[in-house]
Amino acid sequence: MSDFSNELHTQIQYSLIEKLSESERRYRELVDSLREIVFKCDRLGNLNFLNRAWTNTLGYAIADVIGSALGNFIDLDDRHLWSETLEKLQTGVEVCQELRFYHQTGVIVWLELSAQPQSETEFSGSMINISDVYNELRLRKHAEALLKQTNEELEARVEQRNIELIQANQDLKVTLEQLKYTQAQLVQTEKMSSLSQLVAGIAHEINNPVSFIYGNLKSADEYTQNLFSLLDIYQKHYPQSVKAIEELTNLIELDFLRSDFPKLFKSMLMGAERIRDIVLSLRTFSRLDEASMKAVDINEGIDSTIMIIQNRLNSTNQRLQIEVIKEYGSLPLVECYPGHLNQVFLNILVNALDALEDSALKGRWTTKKFNMMDNPRIYIRTQLMEPDQVTISIADNGLGIPEATLKQIFNPFFTTKPVGQGTGMGLAISYQIITQKHGGSLECISQLGVGAEFIIRIPLQQLMSNL
């Protein structure tokens, strides 16, 4: 009976062992069939169990790595993370950490490691391959980076294109302004050239007969005096004249004729001299089309310009007499473009006349509003300020120029006059002539209620760069 019991017990044990072995085999097959890596490690992180997914995922043979430290297969940059994870496991804490592992080929494989302690000496867990997710994420980030870069490049190109278009539009605007300025300047220059030719032609046509009259007046006066002398001799030697002579003498009032005739000749001579002076001024002013640099008398050029505008200085029923006060300094000959400089004088003087007439219309000299007792005046002063520089000042005692207008007074096409009464080019061209052609300066200073003053400074001799 005892032997039978022992044999039965042994059979039961064998049966249980077989069932356990079969169960373990099935468990291992089940674990080996999993896609994720199943592992066990001791407390120090040395591997003591792995399923086939380890080899399928990382390429290492299981037999070659059992007993090795798991950290040996982790990327160097992530080993500090594994150390922290191992410390948590040793304290009984479950962990989940993404780590980079080395494949047998050297390729980096991302694995998500999940582990928990099994006992004080062992822990187990699994590792899931998330490289595809990371690759997809990396590709997505790369695509996003490329898209962002492309957008930034497109935005930069659009911005650059906008800048180029703005610059092109600005350049075009500047070019159009320059063309308008050049066109207006050419028209103005052509007008002044035509004026100079007209003035020169008139001066020439007047000069010939006036010279003839002026040259013959002295001879005529001499002949007249000779005739009067002869008449005196006749009266002396033949005091008793015939009745017809006496009647004619009384009729022509011979005594009055003898006293008035010299005065008549004198007034004719003064008139001829006046015409000759006007012709000389016209000829001086008509040098507008001279292109060459010459040494000229500045004071003479100003006088000739004043002669041109003389009619606007005289009083009429609609305007007051404008007085010109000249303070000419003793100047040497100044090297300049005479015609262009005369044009500057004309533009500034006309501007002063316009200002005075406008001031008169606003009651500058007809009301007590401004408390002024003076008359409309233009002050012209020339002086040698430095050894090599001449200063010409042209001022008026009008109402002055507002500060806002003063800042733009030399800008092309700027004018405060009504449409059709001014082009806004006179002072702009004057500024260019003085600064660019003569290497000088032109400025305007003004005080409201007192007047405005234009100050021209030019060198006595021009540099080669200004020629």
Side-chain angles (χ1 to χ4, degrees):
M1 186 67 180
S2 177
D3 292 336
F4 175 77
S5 296
N6 290 335
E7 182 178 354
L8 179 61
H9 180 71
T10 301
Q11 288 178 354
I12 291 172
Q13 285 182 338
Y14 280 134
S15 176
L16 289 172
I17 290 172
E18 287 178 359
K19 288 181 179 181
L20 286 173
S21 297
E22 180 64 20
S23 176
E24 182 179 354
R25 182 183 65 79
R26 288 181 179 179
Y27 172 77
R28 181 174 291 278
E29 287 179 354
L30 178 63
V31 170
D32 283 339
S33 66
L34 296 175
R35 295 182 61 182
E36 63 268 20
I37 299 172
V38 178
F39 71 95
K40 288 183 180 181
C41 289
D42 62 18
R43 182 178 178 83
L44 298 178
N46 297 317
L47 292 166
N48 52 34
F49 176 79
L50 289 166
N51 66 345
R52 291 178 186 173
W54 170 269
T55 303
N56 296 335
T57 303
L58 297 178
Y60 302 103
I62 294 175
D64 294 337
V65 299
I66 292 297
S68 301
L70 180 60
N72 293 340
F73 304 95
I74 297 175
D75 182 72
L76 293 175
D77 292 336
D78 285 357
R79 288 186 184 180
H80 70 285
L81 296 175
W82 168 243
S83 298
E84 294 173 1
T85 302
L86 189 59
E87 289 177 2
K88 292 178 181 179
L89 288 168
Q90 290 171 351
T91 58
V93 178
E94 293 185 6
V95 296
C96 182
Q97 181 67 51
E98 295 175 356
L99 298 168
R100 286 172 289 184
F101 283 77
Y102 289 119
H103 191 274
Q104 188 180 26
T105 60
V107 176
I108 293 296
V109 179
W110 280 91
L111 299 178
E112 184 182 70
L113 182 147
S114 299
Q116 58 279 331
Q118 294 294 325
S119 65
E120 293 182 359
T121 60
E122 186 180 56
F123 60 87
S124 63
S126 64
M127 291 183 283
I128 301 173
N129 189 348
I130 58 174
S131 293
D132 293 341
V133 175
Y134 267 91
N135 287 335
E136 182 180 352
L137 184 61
R138 181 176 57 83
L139 290 174
R140 183 180 299 175
K141 288 183 178 180
H142 180 65
E144 290 176 354
L146 286 178
L147 181 60
K148 182 179 179 181
Q149 181 181 358
T150 303
N151 288 337
E152 289 175 352
E153 290 177 354
L154 286 174
E155 290 176 359
R157 289 172 63 183
V158 170
E159 182 66 22
Q160 181 63 30
R161 185 58 179 166
N162 287 337
I163 294 173
E164 291 175 356
L165 288 174
I166 292 172
Q167 184 62 42
N169 289 336
Q170 187 66 26
D171 292 343
L172 182 59
K173 183 178 179 180
V174 171
T175 302
L176 289 175
E177 290 295 329
Q178 290 176 344
L179 286 174
K180 287 174 62 180
Y181 176 74
T182 303
Q183 182 183 21
Q185 188 177 21
L186 287 173
V187 171
Q188 183 75 5
T189 303
E190 184 64 27
K191 286 182 179 179
M192 297 305 296
S193 178
S194 300
L195 175 62
S196 69
Q197 293 176 12
L198 177 62
V199 169
I202 293 173
H204 177 73
E205 293 300 325
I206 294 176
N207 186 60
N208 288 335
V210 168
S211 297
F212 176 77
I213 294 172
Y214 183 80
N216 289 323
L217 277 176
K218 290 184 178 180
S219 298
D221 184 42
E222 182 181 348
Y223 296 159
T224 303
Q225 293 300 326
N226 290 337
L227 288 174
F228 281 137
S229 297
L230 179 61
L231 183 60
D232 289 339
I233 293 174
Y234 268 107
Q235 288 180 338
K236 180 179 180 180
H237 292 284
Y238 301 98
Q240 297 298 326
S241 60
V242 297
K243 185 178 180 180
I245 294 176
E246 289 181 359
E247 290 178 354
L248 182 59
T249 299
N250 294 330
L251 180 64
I252 65 174
E253 297 180 357
L254 181 61
D255 292 338
F256 172 77
L257 188 148
R258 291 187 63 175
S259 63
D260 190 60
F261 205 73
K263 298 178 182 179
L264 180 63
F265 264 101
K266 186 177 180 180
S267 64
M268 291 172 63
L269 185 61
M270 290 176 60
E273 288 177 347
R274 175 62 178 164
I275 295 174
R276 187 181 64 173
D277 291 341
I278 293 174
V279 169
L280 181 60
S281 296
L282 291 175
R283 293 178 65 181
T284 301
F285 183 81
S286 67
R287 294 183 296 190
L288 283 169
D289 56 347
E290 290 185 0
S292 60
M293 183 77 67
K294 290 184 179 180
V296 298
D297 185 345
I298 294 293
N299 296 337
E300 183 184 75
I302 296 174
D303 284 337
S304 67
T305 307
I306 293 174
M307 186 68 67
I308 297 297
I309 60 171
Q310 186 64 46
N311 67 306
R312 290 191 63 182
L313 300 174
N314 300 328
S315 62
T316 65
N317 294 332
Q318 298 180 348
R319 64 170 180 256
L320 298 173
Q321 173 79 23
I322 297 177
E323 183 182 2
V324 177
I325 300 175
K326 295 182 285 187
E327 297 179 12
Y328 289 165
S330 179
L331 302 180
L333 296 181
V334 179
E335 197 174 60
C336 64
Y337 293 96
H340 289 100
L341 205 56
N342 286 345
Q343 182 181 355
V344 172
F345 297 151
L346 180 64
N347 289 338
I348 295 177
L349 285 169
V350 168
N351 188 79
L353 290 171
D354 292 341
L356 291 173
E357 291 177 359
D358 183 64
S359 298
L361 290 175
K362 293 178 180 178
R364 168 71 168 78
W365 291 281
T366 57
T367 68
K368 296 181 180 179
K369 177 181 178 181
F370 301 98
N371 195 25
M372 294 290 182
M373 302 302 295
D374 57 347
N375 294 320
R377 291 173 183 169
I378 294 177
Y379 301 88
I380 303 175
R381 181 186 299 110
T382 62
Q383 52 189 331
L384 189 64
M385 295 295 294
E386 299 178 10
D388 58 349
Q389 189 180 71
V390 172
T391 300
I392 303 105
S393 170
I394 301 176
D396 65 76
N397 63 341
L399 292 178
I401 304 172
E403 185 178 355
T405 302
L406 196 62
K407 293 178 180 179
Q408 305 181 70
I409 198 167
F410 295 118
N411 291 347
F413 306 107
F414 176 78
T415 180
T416 58
K417 299 175 183 178
V419 177
Q421 294 186 19
T423 62
M425 292 301 297
L427 292 179
I429 291 175
S430 299
Y431 186 83
Q432 183 191 42
I433 290 173
I434 296 299
T435 59
Q436 297 183 17
K437 281 188 171 292
H438 293 87
S441 65
L442 174 59
E443 64 175 319
C444 178
I445 56 178
S446 178
Q447 183 177 350
L448 290 179
V450 177
E453 180 181 11
F454 288 84
I455 302 173
I456 303 169
R457 297 182 181 90
I458 57 173
L460 284 177
Q461 294 183 337
Q462 294 296 313
L463 300 175
M464 292 300 296
S465 59
N466 296 329
L467 300 181

